[in-house]
Amino acid sequence: MRKDSLYEELTEKITEILSRNLTPNCRLKAICKLLRNSVSHYDWVGFYFVEKQKPCELVLGPFEGEPTEHVRIPFGKGICGQAASRKKTLVVQDVSKELNYLSCSPKVKSEIVTPIFIKDRIVGELDVDSHAASAFTKGDEAFLEKIAKLVSGLLASDTSA
Ligand code: SME
């Protein structure tokens, strides 16, 4: 299947998952699982949320893949923290060349982090790691930004998130 048709199909499935009568975290976990199982170069997929009590820190939410020690990440630290402070999607095609990087596993070669906004406020991120170098294209960027927008709707309507 062509990648753009796969991404269209996954976007529809994600819209359906978001409409399910489950807790927000269960819906986000199902999205992580779907993405990791369906896209061969997505080896770790997870959400980080901006900590409400400490608005300059990210806290790990639902994820699929190997457990990570990076459960709390200050803004500015690592690729996740940089995406949060710069409020934009960051793609690192070769993590070994990135000095401000928090390694989760030596297997990871590239990473993409997409912020999730409610209006102009960053409330979280979608983080994807790949075991392949230079794994992410403009197509991945557009796809993950679309998912981030869909998830923003869920977070905006959920008072506990
Ligand atoms: N590599 C990230 C840390 C999170 S893990 O990829 C799950 C970073 O540099 O911020």
Side-chain angles (χ1 to χ4, degrees):
M1 187 189 278
R2 279 172 54 93
K3 229 161 108 184
D4 43 1
S5 344
L6 171 66
Y7 290 173
E8 264 173 40
E9 192 181 290
L10 290 174
T11 305
E12 278 171 29
K13 282 189 182 157
I14 286 168
T15 306
E16 183 276 315
I17 290 172
L18 286 169
S19 72
R20 286 183 195 165
N21 192 14
L22 295 169
T23 64
N25 273 353
C26 285
R27 284 179 268 183
L28 295 179
K29 176 85 175 164
I31 291 171
C32 294
K33 202 170 189 164
L34 174 74
L35 289 174
R36 184 166 179 260
N37 291 342
S38 316
V39 187
S40 57
H41 58 290
Y42 290 7
D43 293 294
W44 190 96
V45 180
F47 290 95
Y48 280 92
F49 299 117
V50 175
E51 171 75 286
K52 278 202 178 134
Q53 319 304 326
K54 267 194 190 175
C56 284
E57 196 162 286
L58 297 158
V59 186
L60 183 63
F63 69 93
E64 277 288 312
E66 282 180 31
T68 172
E69 61 183 290
H70 303 298
V71 292
R72 283 183 173 271
I73 302 178
F75 276 32
K77 270 206 102 180
I79 300 168
C80 292
Q82 291 181 73
S85 10
R86 288 155 72 175
K87 290 186 160 193
K88 55 177 251 189
T89 297
L90 281 193
V91 182
V92 176
Q93 300 289 18
D94 180 352
V95 294
S96 72
K97 297 207 172 105
E98 172 63 51
L99 298 177
N100 189 357
Y101 172 62
L102 302 168
S103 172
C104 291
S105 153
K107 290 186 210 152
V108 174
K109 300 287 187 295
S110 54
E111 177 162 357
I112 181 167
V113 182
T114 304
I116 302 169
F117 299 99
I118 294 182
K119 297 192 178 138
D120 287 337
R121 187 168 54 95
I122 176 164
V123 292
E125 292 181 340
L126 174 54
D127 180 14
V128 182
D129 287 348
S130 180
H131 294 172
S134 302
F136 302 108
T137 62
K138 286 281 168 204
D140 289 289
E141 224 173 297
F143 172 55
L144 296 171
E145 284 178 357
K146 179 97 196 266
I147 297 173
K149 280 207 181 105
L150 294 172
V151 168
S152 157
L154 167 80
L155 299 180
S157 63
D158 175 51
T159 47
S160 67

